[in-house]
Amino acid sequence: MRALTFEPGKKGTLKVEEIPDPERKNGDLLVQGVALGICGTDRELESADYGWAPPGKSRMVIGHESLGRVLEVPDGSAYSVGDLVVGVVRRPDPVPCGACAHGEFDMCRNGRYTERGIKEIDGYASERWVVEAGYAVKLDPSLESVGMLVEPTSVVAKAWDHIERIGARAWFEPRTVLVTGAGPIGLLAALLGVQRGLEVHVLDRVAEGRKPALVADLGATYHAASNLDDFHDDPPDIIVECTGVGELVLASMTTTAAAGVVCLAGLASQGRTHRVDGGLINRDIVLENDAVFGSVNANLRHFRAAADALAKADLGWLERLITRRVPLERAEDAFAHGDDDVKVVIDLTV
Ligand code: BGC
């Protein structure tokens, strides 16, 4: 079968190649790959900024935003042939740490977790793949064209879950949320904010193209800006920072209402320095009881919440997030990111 593989730690090594069919072990599902979403992490893997090969191997199959159709199931399985499924990204560390032992492998404490397509386990960019039934999530059949959005949605479902848990430390009835960044993660975070009945604002430096329209069609307000000046007079209750841009990360920490919650969900590149007034940041956070926290990855509960959220969303709007679909044979084209691209998807069936 064909698969998209790369050599972690080495730039420019992506290629579509023939590899042996996966072997289904007891308890696994055999799945036909339907599509795969590409994100910033995949681009980092491609440019050798991130990623670890499986022990004893130099190449691995990329891909963690999966979508497939079940081909074979174990006896007595809750899955049926033909079910639409996605595979979970992370697996618990082998110890396991307390969090992994409790199914919260997204909160792994010792860093020895593994991740499909990213850290030490083959990913989902192949014509067929296997997944342990306990790490698969069944989707509503209506999500066939957009199901690869479940994984990025799981990441923001976790962010929202933790925002609400942190908020619940005291009386919490948030009214407004600001999402910085109108890429896939930002737009999906905004969707989940709208589904919670919040007044949603989305900020992105792009002033034209499909992002403003996607935000408006969600019933949210778009701000074309590179700073948070618009929000000084009426700061939001919650910020979901999805850009990883240093200036916005720092500004978000001092631009919430009292008892504000700031979730850092974007990843910055290292090496740029900023002059900051540490005392001002300290005073703002302490005197307002604010909370700033980071969020990565997602556990099974978040994948299920993501699948439910997408099934409730407007399908036409979700389809507009997918701005390009490229066949597996031309998979490399998916790694170039145009300014107006939101989500680029590899079609594993052609
Ligand atoms: C994935 C996460 C993963 C993270 C770091 C993200 O792109 O969505 O599941 O934990 O990269 O590896």
Side-chain angles (χ1 to χ4, degrees):
M1 67 164 180
R2 291 175 307 157
L4 180 63
T5 67
F6 76 114
E7 192 173 332
K10 232 183 181 183
K11 251 186 198 177
T13 57
L14 264 186
K15 72 169 180 225
V16 179
E17 61 173 330
E18 280 293 324
I19 63 166
D21 264 48
E23 273 174 46
R24 189 173 77 77
K25 288 193 230 70
N26 214 6
D28 287 352
L29 307 176
L30 175 67
V31 178
Q32 160 160 36
V34 170
L36 181 93
I38 295 299
C39 77
T41 300
D42 297 303
R43 296 191 179 89
E44 285 194 357
L45 296 171
E46 197 272 330
S47 51
D49 291 331
Y50 200 61
W52 298 263
K57 286 190 168 180
S58 57
R59 297 190 74 80
M60 76 179 201
V61 179
I62 203 167
H64 60 281
E65 298 187 359
S66 62
L67 176 66
R69 210 170 262 299
V70 174
L71 289 173
E72 277 177 30
V73 298
D75 288 343
S77 171
Y79 290 86
S80 309
V81 172
D83 280 350
L84 201 60
V85 290
V86 303
V88 169
V89 179
R90 194 175 280 195
R91 298 292 178 276
D93 76 78
V95 176
C97 74
C100 285
H102 285 83
E104 293 193 341
F105 44 80
D106 57 314
M107 299 294 289
C108 179
R109 298 298 202 273
N110 63 22
R112 291 177 61 195
Y113 63 82
T114 53
E115 288 182 341
R116 289 197 62 162
I118 301 174
K119 190 170 184 271
E120 297 168 18
I121 345 179
D122 279 331
Y124 296 108
S126 51
E127 289 179 293
R128 282 172 293 286
W129 39 268
V130 289
V131 64
E132 313 87 305
Y135 287 98
V137 176
K138 199 188 289 194
L139 306 190
D140 189 284
S142 66
L143 294 176
E144 165 146 36
S145 57
V146 297
M148 77 302 284
L149 297 175
V150 167
E151 195 279 336
T153 308
S154 75
V155 166
V156 292
K158 172 189 173 171
W160 275 108
D161 176 33
H162 285 215
I163 288 166
E164 284 161 349
R165 285 162 185 261
I166 292 168
R169 70 202 156 137
W171 173 82
F172 191 54
E173 279 180 17
R175 184 179 60 84
T176 53
V177 56
L178 165 63
V179 177
T180 52
I185 291 290
L187 289 168
L188 291 167
L191 168 71
L192 267 52
V194 169
Q195 288 185 343
R196 282 164 167 75
L198 295 172
E199 179 187 308
V200 178
H201 297 260
V202 180
L203 178 139
D204 193 287
R205 59 183 176 171
V206 172
E208 283 160 13
R210 49 188 112 216
K211 290 178 178 176
L214 279 164
V215 170
D217 293 347
L218 207 52
T221 307
Y222 191 83
H223 302 256
S226 305
N227 57 52
L228 302 192
D229 293 355
D230 280 8
F231 300 92
H232 283 160
D233 294 340
D234 186 15
D237 298 310
I238 299 165
I239 297 184
V240 188
E241 207 302 303
C242 302
T243 68
V245 171
E247 288 83 352
L248 290 177
V249 170
L250 291 165
S252 66
M253 295 185 188
T254 53
T255 315
T256 57
V261 181
V262 179
C263 171
L264 303 181
L267 271 179
S269 45
Q270 286 165 237
R272 282 189 61 208
T273 53
H274 303 268
R275 282 177 73 87
V276 294
D277 180 342
L280 176 100
I281 296 177
N282 164 268
R283 292 182 72 79
D284 188 277
I285 293 177
V286 173
L287 293 174
E288 288 192 346
N289 289 295
D290 293 337
V292 179
F293 77 102
S295 184
V296 71
N297 198 249
N299 64 38
L300 269 160
R301 189 161 43 90
H302 305 125
F303 270 81
R304 294 198 184 107
D308 290 347
L310 292 189
K312 273 197 294 184
D314 180 81
L315 183 61
W317 186 85
L318 293 174
E319 283 176 338
R320 284 163 60 208
L321 296 184
I322 301 165
T323 47
R324 260 184 320 129
R325 290 181 193 261
V326 305
L328 177 57
E329 223 37 65
R330 292 212 314 274
E332 275 183 52
D333 295 355
F335 288 73
H337 197 64
D339 252 3
D340 207 27
D341 269 331
V342 180
K343 175 58 70 187
V344 184
V345 161
I346 297 173
D347 186 338
L348 298 172
T349 64
V350 285

